[in-house]
DNA sequence: GGAACTGTATCATTTAATATTACAGTAAGG
DNA sequence: CCTTACTGTAATATTAAATGATACAGTTCC
């Protein structure tokens, strides 16, 4: 699974814990252990979809824009790794009945698999992630 | 998703269509469009788990060992890409409550996700894949 | 106008996936 | 019993994907 997905969850959880003040990409990147540019990249995606707000310039950064209970892991999945389950089929022989059709058959099955996974991921919101993080402390 | 998974399905489907005679790794590799050594590697895994039989030497190759309707995609998933859904968390800061606990929280959620995916994949057997392939012809 | 940010493009580096080569072991058939 | 056609598997090379790093334009605040 794409690590952009976990990065997004990580960042949103961190922001959910400080709903009052902004966090810079530097602060988040230290917590997540990655390069600040990656944080900016991933979070700009979340911004475009209205999950958080940003502010440039001095004192700027990222801040939660909605309710942690309104964002599900499925929302984040769709943004960061839609199609990740899709099978990577190599160019197979068109002359063989299996080679010629396997890709399409698997594609439709995996479309269903992703939908199915979606039903599971919809059960978890950022609020629940934060609660679980707090419980472990 | 790991392409060993699709390779295994491809190979098994091909073998299911010729239950009477053996197929060599060369034949399968042409159909699947990959290197024969990879076929041998993936199929040796399937052999170890009793899904097919092999024979070395002249006239040897791979042959189905069980019923196509007895092998589900979940069986194959477990062999070829168990844990593939597991989030790739980077080393995050132990000093931050989020960084210190995110990994464990996500890990347990993804364990559940994989189980959930399993319920879906159990609905498909090699027999059904072969039927779908035939229908498309 | 300078300091502290985001936004984004580009290039470098690391890591994972896959292909290739090589060869030992096994079975069949002359 | 020797040759041919296979699997099994290790080692190495190559390619592709993920990630990191650098650079800099645009914004906001003081």
């Amino acid at each position: 699974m794409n690590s952009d997905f976990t990065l997004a969850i990580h960042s949103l959880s961190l922001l959910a814990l400080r709903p009052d003040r902004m966090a810079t990409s530097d602060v988040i990147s230290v917590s997540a252990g990655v390069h600040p540019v990656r944080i900016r990249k991933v979070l700009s995606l979340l911004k475009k979809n209205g999950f958080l707000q940003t502010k440039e310039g001095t004192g700027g950064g990222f801040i939660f824009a909605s309710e942690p209970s309104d964002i599900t892991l499925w929302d984040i999945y769709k943004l960061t790794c839609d199609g990740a389950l899709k099978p990577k089929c190599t160019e197979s022989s068109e002359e063989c009945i299996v080679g010629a059709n396997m890709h399409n058959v698997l594609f439709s099955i995996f479309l269903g698999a992703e939908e199915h996974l979606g039903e599971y991921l919809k059960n978890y919101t950022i609020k629940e992630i934060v609660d679980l993080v707090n419980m472990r402390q």
Side-chain angles (χ1 to χ4, degrees), chain A:
Chain A
M1 175 77 60
N2 197 329
S3 77
D4 281 1
F5 181 65
T6 59
L7 264 185
I9 298 172
H10 190 123
S11 306
L12 285 170
S13 302
L14 200 148
L15 292 176
L17 282 168
R18 43 193 287 173
D20 45 333
R21 59 218 165 98
M22 300 204 118
T24 68
S25 61
D26 268 30
V27 166
I28 301 173
S29 77
V30 168
S31 165
V34 298
H35 201 276
V37 171
R38 260 192 88 198
I39 297 290
R40 299 209 283 270
K41 244 182 246 171
V42 172
L43 294 197
S44 84
L45 241 181
L46 295 179
K47 177 198 178 183
K48 275 170 194 152
N49 287 74
F51 295 132
L52 44 76
Q53 291 185 321
T54 67
K55 205 172 106 186
E56 302 183 14
T58 306
F62 301 87
I63 197 165
F64 227 98
S66 51
E67 282 303 311
S69 55
D70 285 346
I71 309 180
T72 71
L73 295 197
W74 178 235
D75 294 324
I76 303 173
Y77 179 93
K78 280 187 293 181
L79 286 182
T80 57
C81 38
D82 197 33
L85 240 51
K86 197 161 49 190
K88 294 179 208 134
C89 286
T90 47
E91 283 299 314
S92 53
S93 168
E94 290 297 322
E95 288 163 32
C96 163
I97 181 176
V98 178
N101 298 290
M102 183 56 67
H103 182 269
N104 289 327
V105 168
L106 289 183
F107 184 79
S108 66
I109 290 177
F110 274 76
L111 229 53
E114 205 158 55
E115 269 176 44
H116 194 74
L117 179 64
E119 292 311 309
Y120 176 85
L121 291 179
K122 281 176 194 166
N123 294 324
Y124 291 91
T125 68
I126 292 298
K127 178 176 185 316
E128 270 137 5
I129 301 288
V130 171
D131 288 347
L132 287 168
V133 164
N134 279 324
M135 266 169 58
R136 288 192 174 258
Q137 199 60 1

PDB file of all heavy atoms in Angstrom, chain A residues 64-82:
ATOM      1  N   PHE A  64      -6.577  22.005   9.981  1.00  0.00           N
ATOM      2  CA  PHE A  64      -7.770  21.231   9.689  1.00  0.00           C
ATOM      3  C   PHE A  64      -8.895  22.145   9.205  1.00  0.00           C
ATOM      4  O   PHE A  64      -9.103  23.219   9.756  1.00  0.00           O
ATOM      5  CB  PHE A  64      -8.227  20.515  10.956  1.00  0.00           C
ATOM      6  CG  PHE A  64      -8.533  19.084  10.717  1.00  0.00           C
ATOM      7  CD1 PHE A  64      -7.600  18.103  11.011  1.00  0.00           C
ATOM      8  CD2 PHE A  64      -9.751  18.704  10.177  1.00  0.00           C
ATOM      9  CE1 PHE A  64      -7.883  16.774  10.782  1.00  0.00           C
ATOM     10  CE2 PHE A  64     -10.033  17.373   9.935  1.00  0.00           C
ATOM     11  CZ  PHE A  64      -9.108  16.413  10.237  1.00  0.00           C
ATOM     12  N   ALA A  65      -9.621  21.703   8.179  1.00  0.00           N
ATOM     13  CA  ALA A  65     -10.688  22.547   7.648  1.00  0.00           C
ATOM     14  C   ALA A  65     -12.065  21.990   7.957  1.00  0.00           C
ATOM     15  O   ALA A  65     -13.054  22.689   7.873  1.00  0.00           O
ATOM     16  CB  ALA A  65     -10.531  22.709   6.141  1.00  0.00           C
ATOM     17  N   SER A  66     -12.123  20.695   8.300  1.00  0.00           N
ATOM     18  CA  SER A  66     -13.438  20.108   8.567  1.00  0.00           C
ATOM     19  C   SER A  66     -13.400  19.391   9.910  1.00  0.00           C
ATOM     20  O   SER A  66     -12.490  19.585  10.705  1.00  0.00           O
ATOM     21  CB  SER A  66     -13.802  19.149   7.443  1.00  0.00           C
ATOM     22  OG  SER A  66     -12.742  18.234   7.216  1.00  0.00           O
ATOM     23  N   GLU A  67     -14.367  18.530  10.143  1.00  0.00           N
ATOM     24  CA  GLU A  67     -14.417  17.769  11.381  1.00  0.00           C
ATOM     25  C   GLU A  67     -13.693  16.445  11.199  1.00  0.00           C
ATOM     26  O   GLU A  67     -13.941  15.751  10.206  1.00  0.00           O
ATOM     27  CB  GLU A  67     -15.871  17.499  11.756  1.00  0.00           C
ATOM     28  CG  GLU A  67     -16.572  18.689  12.371  1.00  0.00           C
ATOM     29  CD  GLU A  67     -15.849  19.200  13.609  1.00  0.00           C
ATOM     30  OE1 GLU A  67     -15.522  18.368  14.486  1.00  0.00           O
ATOM     31  OE2 GLU A  67     -15.588  20.426  13.696  1.00  0.00           O
ATOM     32  N   PRO A  68     -12.827  16.073  12.135  1.00  0.00           N
ATOM     33  CA  PRO A  68     -12.126  14.780  12.038  1.00  0.00           C
ATOM     34  C   PRO A  68     -13.093  13.617  11.841  1.00  0.00           C
ATOM     35  O   PRO A  68     -12.736  12.623  11.206  1.00  0.00           O
ATOM     36  CB  PRO A  68     -11.410  14.678  13.384  1.00  0.00           C
ATOM     37  CG  PRO A  68     -11.186  16.083  13.798  1.00  0.00           C
ATOM     38  CD  PRO A  68     -12.365  16.860  13.283  1.00  0.00           C
ATOM     39  N   SER A  69     -14.285  13.756  12.342  1.00  0.00           N
ATOM     40  CA  SER A  69     -15.242  12.649  12.197  1.00  0.00           C
ATOM     41  C   SER A  69     -15.885  12.639  10.814  1.00  0.00           C
ATOM     42  O   SER A  69     -16.658  11.745  10.495  1.00  0.00           O
ATOM     43  CB  SER A  69     -16.319  12.749  13.281  1.00  0.00           C
ATOM     44  OG  SER A  69     -16.940  14.024  13.227  1.00  0.00           O
ATOM     45  N   ASP A  70     -15.582  13.638  10.007  1.00  0.00           N
ATOM     46  CA  ASP A  70     -16.166  13.701   8.667  1.00  0.00           C
ATOM     47  C   ASP A  70     -15.255  13.112   7.595  1.00  0.00           C
ATOM     48  O   ASP A  70     -15.654  12.985   6.441  1.00  0.00           O
ATOM     49  CB  ASP A  70     -16.497  15.148   8.283  1.00  0.00           C
ATOM     50  CG  ASP A  70     -17.729  15.647   9.004  1.00  0.00           C
ATOM     51  OD1 ASP A  70     -18.460  14.805   9.574  1.00  0.00           O
ATOM     52  OD2 ASP A  70     -17.948  16.873   9.010  1.00  0.00           O
ATOM     53  N   ILE A  71     -14.017  12.791   7.947  1.00  0.00           N
ATOM     54  CA  ILE A  71     -13.089  12.243   6.957  1.00  0.00           C
ATOM     55  C   ILE A  71     -12.852  10.773   7.237  1.00  0.00           C
ATOM     56  O   ILE A  71     -12.354  10.399   8.294  1.00  0.00           O
ATOM     57  CB  ILE A  71     -11.727  12.964   7.003  1.00  0.00           C
ATOM     58  CG1 ILE A  71     -11.925  14.482   6.947  1.00  0.00           C
ATOM     59  CG2 ILE A  71     -10.849  12.499   5.855  1.00  0.00           C
ATOM     60  CD1 ILE A  71     -10.626  15.243   6.986  1.00  0.00           C
ATOM     61  N   THR A  72     -13.203   9.925   6.275  1.00  0.00           N
ATOM     62  CA  THR A  72     -12.962   8.495   6.456  1.00  0.00           C
ATOM     63  C   THR A  72     -11.668   8.093   5.749  1.00  0.00           C
ATOM     64  O   THR A  72     -11.161   8.820   4.884  1.00  0.00           O
ATOM     65  CB  THR A  72     -14.119   7.657   5.870  1.00  0.00           C
ATOM     66  OG1 THR A  72     -14.056   7.744   4.437  1.00  0.00           O
ATOM     67  CG2 THR A  72     -15.461   8.153   6.358  1.00  0.00           C
ATOM     68  N   LEU A  73     -11.171   6.953   6.142  1.00  0.00           N
ATOM     69  CA  LEU A  73      -9.977   6.435   5.483  1.00  0.00           C
ATOM     70  C   LEU A  73     -10.241   6.158   4.010  1.00  0.00           C
ATOM     71  O   LEU A  73      -9.335   6.206   3.182  1.00  0.00           O
ATOM     72  CB  LEU A  73      -9.479   5.158   6.176  1.00  0.00           C
ATOM     73  CG  LEU A  73      -8.990   5.303   7.612  1.00  0.00           C
ATOM     74  CD1 LEU A  73      -8.157   4.099   8.020  1.00  0.00           C
ATOM     75  CD2 LEU A  73      -8.194   6.579   7.813  1.00  0.00           C
ATOM     76  N   TRP A  74     -11.467   5.903   3.680  1.00  0.00           N
ATOM     77  CA  TRP A  74     -11.819   5.660   2.282  1.00  0.00           C
ATOM     78  C   TRP A  74     -11.676   6.944   1.456  1.00  0.00           C
ATOM     79  O   TRP A  74     -11.185   6.911   0.328  1.00  0.00           O
ATOM     80  CB  TRP A  74     -13.247   5.111   2.200  1.00  0.00           C
ATOM     81  CG  TRP A  74     -13.756   4.858   0.811  1.00  0.00           C
ATOM     82  CD1 TRP A  74     -14.900   5.352   0.258  1.00  0.00           C
ATOM     83  CD2 TRP A  74     -13.160   4.033  -0.194  1.00  0.00           C
ATOM     84  NE1 TRP A  74     -15.045   4.891  -1.023  1.00  0.00           N
ATOM     85  CE2 TRP A  74     -14.003   4.081  -1.334  1.00  0.00           C
ATOM     86  CE3 TRP A  74     -11.999   3.254  -0.253  1.00  0.00           C
ATOM     87  CZ2 TRP A  74     -13.722   3.397  -2.502  1.00  0.00           C
ATOM     88  CZ3 TRP A  74     -11.712   2.564  -1.424  1.00  0.00           C
ATOM     89  CH2 TRP A  74     -12.557   2.640  -2.523  1.00  0.00           C
ATOM     90  N   ASP A  75     -12.059   8.067   2.045  1.00  0.00           N
ATOM     91  CA  ASP A  75     -11.855   9.356   1.378  1.00  0.00           C
ATOM     92  C   ASP A  75     -10.376   9.538   1.043  1.00  0.00           C
ATOM     93  O   ASP A  75     -10.012   9.946  -0.062  1.00  0.00           O
ATOM     94  CB  ASP A  75     -12.289  10.513   2.282  1.00  0.00           C
ATOM     95  CG  ASP A  75     -13.790  10.514   2.560  1.00  0.00           C
ATOM     96  OD1 ASP A  75     -14.544  10.153   1.637  1.00  0.00           O
ATOM     97  OD2 ASP A  75     -14.193  10.869   3.682  1.00  0.00           O
ATOM     98  N   ILE A  76      -9.550   9.217   2.002  1.00  0.00           N
ATOM     99  CA  ILE A  76      -8.105   9.416   1.828  1.00  0.00           C
ATOM    100  C   ILE A  76      -7.543   8.415   0.837  1.00  0.00           C
ATOM    101  O   ILE A  76      -6.703   8.750  -0.002  1.00  0.00           O
ATOM    102  CB  ILE A  76      -7.384   9.301   3.193  1.00  0.00           C
ATOM    103  CG1 ILE A  76      -7.980  10.317   4.170  1.00  0.00           C
ATOM    104  CG2 ILE A  76      -5.894   9.519   3.038  1.00  0.00           C
ATOM    105  CD1 ILE A  76      -7.473  10.178   5.573  1.00  0.00           C
ATOM    106  N   TYR A  77      -8.033   7.192   0.925  1.00  0.00           N
ATOM    107  CA  TYR A  77      -7.596   6.161  -0.024  1.00  0.00           C
ATOM    108  C   TYR A  77      -7.853   6.600  -1.451  1.00  0.00           C
ATOM    109  O   TYR A  77      -6.982   6.513  -2.321  1.00  0.00           O
ATOM    110  CB  TYR A  77      -8.313   4.841   0.268  1.00  0.00           C
ATOM    111  CG  TYR A  77      -7.943   3.727  -0.687  1.00  0.00           C
ATOM    112  CD1 TYR A  77      -6.916   2.845  -0.378  1.00  0.00           C
ATOM    113  CD2 TYR A  77      -8.600   3.574  -1.902  1.00  0.00           C
ATOM    114  CE1 TYR A  77      -6.564   1.842  -1.244  1.00  0.00           C
ATOM    115  CE2 TYR A  77      -8.246   2.574  -2.781  1.00  0.00           C
ATOM    116  CZ  TYR A  77      -7.231   1.706  -2.452  1.00  0.00           C
ATOM    117  OH  TYR A  77      -6.872   0.715  -3.339  1.00  0.00           O
ATOM    118  N   LYS A  78      -9.069   7.078  -1.696  1.00  0.00           N
ATOM    119  CA  LYS A  78      -9.429   7.461  -3.060  1.00  0.00           C
ATOM    120  C   LYS A  78      -8.499   8.552  -3.596  1.00  0.00           C
ATOM    121  O   LYS A  78      -8.157   8.565  -4.774  1.00  0.00           O
ATOM    122  CB  LYS A  78     -10.890   7.936  -3.103  1.00  0.00           C
ATOM    123  CG  LYS A  78     -11.876   6.788  -3.124  1.00  0.00           C
ATOM    124  CD  LYS A  78     -13.302   7.277  -3.331  1.00  0.00           C
ATOM    125  CE  LYS A  78     -13.783   8.086  -2.132  1.00  0.00           C
ATOM    126  NZ  LYS A  78     -15.174   8.562  -2.287  1.00  0.00           N
ATOM    127  N   LEU A  79      -8.087   9.427  -2.705  1.00  0.00           N
ATOM    128  CA  LEU A  79      -7.195  10.501  -3.145  1.00  0.00           C
ATOM    129  C   LEU A  79      -5.770  10.025  -3.383  1.00  0.00           C
ATOM    130  O   LEU A  79      -5.114  10.434  -4.333  1.00  0.00           O
ATOM    131  CB  LEU A  79      -7.150  11.621  -2.094  1.00  0.00           C
ATOM    132  CG  LEU A  79      -8.372  12.512  -1.992  1.00  0.00           C
ATOM    133  CD1 LEU A  79      -8.132  13.588  -0.951  1.00  0.00           C
ATOM    134  CD2 LEU A  79      -8.670  13.148  -3.342  1.00  0.00           C
ATOM    135  N   THR A  80      -5.284   9.178  -2.486  1.00  0.00           N
ATOM    136  CA  THR A  80      -3.850   8.880  -2.502  1.00  0.00           C
ATOM    137  C   THR A  80      -3.470   7.579  -3.197  1.00  0.00           C
ATOM    138  O   THR A  80      -2.334   7.448  -3.640  1.00  0.00           O
ATOM    139  CB  THR A  80      -3.292   8.829  -1.066  1.00  0.00           C
ATOM    140  OG1 THR A  80      -4.037   7.845  -0.338  1.00  0.00           O
ATOM    141  CG2 THR A  80      -3.412  10.172  -0.381  1.00  0.00           C
ATOM    142  N   CYS A  81      -4.398   6.628  -3.260  1.00  0.00           N
ATOM    143  CA  CYS A  81      -3.992   5.379  -3.899  1.00  0.00           C
ATOM    144  C   CYS A  81      -5.121   4.668  -4.601  1.00  0.00           C
ATOM    145  O   CYS A  81      -5.220   3.445  -4.569  1.00  0.00           O
ATOM    146  CB  CYS A  81      -3.270   4.440  -2.935  1.00  0.00           C
ATOM    147  SG  CYS A  81      -3.880   4.388  -1.268  1.00  0.00           S
ATOM    148  N   ASP A  82      -5.941   5.455  -5.266  1.00  0.00           N
ATOM    149  CA  ASP A  82      -7.010   4.865  -6.054  1.00  0.00           C
ATOM    150  C   ASP A  82      -6.407   3.972  -7.138  1.00  0.00           C
ATOM    151  O   ASP A  82      -5.478   4.371  -7.835  1.00  0.00           O
ATOM    152  CB  ASP A  82      -7.831   5.987  -6.711  1.00  0.00           C
ATOM    153  CG  ASP A  82      -9.159   5.479  -7.198  1.00  0.00           C
ATOM    154  OD1 ASP A  82      -9.720   4.573  -6.561  1.00  0.00           O
ATOM    155  OD2 ASP A  82      -9.640   5.991  -8.232  1.00  0.00           O
TER     156      ASP A  82
END
